[in-house]
Amino acid sequence: MTKPTPAPPAFHPVRWLTNQPYLLLSLTSLFWAGNIVLARHVAGHVPPLTLSCVRWIGTFLILLPFAWPHLKQDWPVLRAHLPMMLFLSLVGFAYNNAISYWALQYTEALNALLIQSAGPLFVALWSLALFGIRLTGAQLAGITISLVGVLTIILRGDFGALASISFNRGDLMFASSLVSFGLYSALIPRRPVTHALSLISFTTCCGALMLLPFSIWEFSTGATLKFDMISMATLGYAVIFPSTLAYLFFNRGLALIGPNRAAPFFHLVPVFGSAMAILLLGEQLRLFHLVGYALVLAGVVIASRRASAKKA
């Protein structure tokens, strides 16, 4: 008598998603694009340091019920690597987010998206400086191609417009946030081995505590939080999408394919930003959009594919 054929394993959407690095990193870029556009739109409604502090407090509270068993189990590892964990909290959560929100009080979303395109460069430089990891030929080519695509979109196909773009202190502040996040991206693969929920809940808690004194100082200077629909929607979006989900997705994507292969996905941020302008703000779809999208996607595919990790 033959044994019955075992039933195929049940499909688990969450388990499937956690093993799709390209989808995870693409969604991360989508959420971060919305964050830049929205944060610039609400400048003056939500004080930037308070926005960042509330963002991480909210993220921590959402994750805590799910993360608590893992935190208890991983606490000996976290405590043994406390300096590393605190540093990740500082560069990846406290400084990076606070300074980028603050910068958007002084610069335009266009400038921020332009500066954002340098993100892969900072990841590559930190990976090289700290661990001697060099970009392969394919990775460099992919980043270059996608960067050209980003510039095509932002400059509306007119590269001569670069000469007319002026930068201010907000732009320098935003660039420093990318330097900080590039360091976080390079370090994440070397983090202590813990559950993903332990990592993000611990670092968001520490990041919020680091920002709390600065938020209090911000209010002491006369800054106020306007409790209107725009502010509440901004806080809700910031807590759920570019924080809770994006960082879980980003950390998992880095763990699966490494920082240099993941870095080109930064270039999807301005792609999604321009698409939001077309869909939500009524901007007309033009040829330079299509050319830019094609270049960015081609560059991301070239730089992030498995073969690009091999030495040229």
Side-chain angles (χ1 to χ4, degrees), residues 142-159 267-268 270-272 274-275 285-300:
I143 289 174
T144 301
I145 292 170
S146 60
L147 177 58
V148 172
V150 167
L151 295 177
T152 301
I153 295 167
I154 293 176
L155 301 176
R156 308 178 71 84
D158 178 15
F159 281 78
H267 286 162
L268 289 180
V271 168
F272 286 129
S274 68
L285 179 65
R286 299 182 183 275
L287 178 60
F288 67 80
H289 287 116
L290 299 177
V291 172
Y293 295 161
L295 288 170
V296 171
L297 292 176
V300 169

Side-chain angles (χ1 to χ4, degrees), residues 117-145:
S117 65
L121 174 63
F122 293 124
V123 176
L125 289 176
W126 279 119
S127 297
L128 175 62
L130 295 176
F131 309 115
I133 301 174
R134 298 177 181 273
L135 288 171
T136 66
Q139 289 169 349
L140 180 59
I143 289 174
T144 301
I145 292 170

Side-chain angles (χ1 to χ4, degrees), residues 51-74:
L51 173 56
S52 191
C53 184
V54 171
R55 174 180 177 178
W56 298 128
I57 291 174
T59 301
F60 173 69
L61 292 177
I62 288 175
L63 291 174
L64 185 59
F66 308 99
W68 183 247
H70 306 292
L71 276 170
K72 290 194 296 183
Q73 181 178 345
D74 291 333

Side-chain angles (χ1 to χ4, degrees), residues 12-163:
H12 297 282
V14 174
R15 187 179 301 166
W16 174 83
L17 180 62
T18 57
N19 288 293
Q20 306 299 318
Y22 306 131
L23 178 58
L24 291 172
L25 292 168
S26 297
L27 288 173
T28 298
S29 296
L30 174 62
F31 298 154
W32 284 344
N35 188 49
I36 291 176
V37 174
L38 191 59
R40 181 66 186 97
H41 180 67
V42 301
H45 285 257
V46 186
L49 301 180
T50 300
L51 173 56
S52 191
C53 184
V54 171
R55 174 180 177 178
W56 298 128
I57 291 174
T59 301
F60 173 69
L61 292 177
I62 288 175
L63 291 174
L64 185 59
F66 308 99
W68 183 247
H70 306 292
L71 276 170
K72 290 194 296 183
Q73 181 178 345
D74 291 333
W75 176 243
V77 177
L78 295 170
R79 184 174 56 188
H81 296 85
L82 189 59
M84 172 69 157
M85 299 303 299
L86 291 176
F87 189 69
L88 288 174
S89 302
L90 174 65
V91 297
F93 295 85
Y95 181 82
N96 163 51
N97 286 270
I99 203 69
S100 62
Y101 282 142
W102 200 354
L104 286 167
Q105 306 289 307
Y106 304 105
T107 190
E108 299 295 327
L110 175 65
N111 284 35
L113 289 169
L114 181 61
I115 297 166
Q116 179 85 32
S117 65
L121 174 63
F122 293 124
V123 176
L125 289 176
W126 279 119
S127 297
L128 175 62
L130 295 176
F131 309 115
I133 301 174
R134 298 177 181 273
L135 288 171
T136 66
Q139 289 169 349
L140 180 59
I143 289 174
T144 301
I145 292 170
S146 60
L147 177 58
V148 172
V150 167
L151 295 177
T152 301
I153 295 167
I154 293 176
L155 301 176
R156 308 178 71 84
D158 178 15
F159 281 78
L162 272 175

Side-chain angles (χ1 to χ4, degrees), residues 66-272:
F66 308 99
W68 183 247
H70 306 292
L71 276 170
K72 290 194 296 183
Q73 181 178 345
D74 291 333
W75 176 243
V77 177
L78 295 170
R79 184 174 56 188
H81 296 85
L82 189 59
M84 172 69 157
M85 299 303 299
L86 291 176
F87 189 69
L88 288 174
S89 302
L90 174 65
V91 297
F93 295 85
Y95 181 82
N96 163 51
N97 286 270
I99 203 69
S100 62
Y101 282 142
W102 200 354
L104 286 167
Q105 306 289 307
Y106 304 105
T107 190
E108 299 295 327
L110 175 65
N111 284 35
L113 289 169
L114 181 61
I115 297 166
Q116 179 85 32
S117 65
L121 174 63
F122 293 124
V123 176
L125 289 176
W126 279 119
S127 297
L128 175 62
L130 295 176
F131 309 115
I133 301 174
R134 298 177 181 273
L135 288 171
T136 66
Q139 289 169 349
L140 180 59
I143 289 174
T144 301
I145 292 170
S146 60
L147 177 58
V148 172
V150 167
L151 295 177
T152 301
I153 295 167
I154 293 176
L155 301 176
R156 308 178 71 84
D158 178 15
F159 281 78
L162 272 175
S164 63
I165 293 179
S166 59
F167 295 97
N168 57 33
R169 62 172 175 169
D171 301 316
L172 295 176
M173 293 163 65
F174 198 87
S176 74
S177 75
L178 284 178
V179 174
S180 177
F181 195 72
L183 178 56
Y184 172 85
S185 302
L187 289 174
I188 273 293
R190 312 294 173 125
R191 72 190 187 280
V193 179
T194 65
H195 192 276
L197 290 175
S198 299
L199 173 69
I200 191 171
S201 59
F202 185 88
T203 48
T204 53
C205 179
C206 292
L209 291 175
M210 291 174 183
L211 288 167
L212 186 58
F214 297 96
S215 180
I216 295 172
W217 167 82
E218 188 174 49
F219 274 95
S220 73
T221 65
T224 57
L225 173 63
K226 296 180 181 179
F227 288 94
D228 52 23
M229 284 299 296
I230 293 177
S231 300
M232 296 304 100
T234 299
L235 291 172
Y237 178 85
V239 166
I240 296 172
F241 293 98
S243 304
T244 305
L245 294 178
Y247 271 78
L248 282 170
F249 292 176
F250 184 73
N251 289 345
R252 178 59 177 168
L254 282 181
L256 290 174
I257 66 174
N260 279 345
R261 289 174 63 199
F265 284 85
F266 278 101
H267 286 162
L268 289 180
V269 174
V271 168
F272 286 129

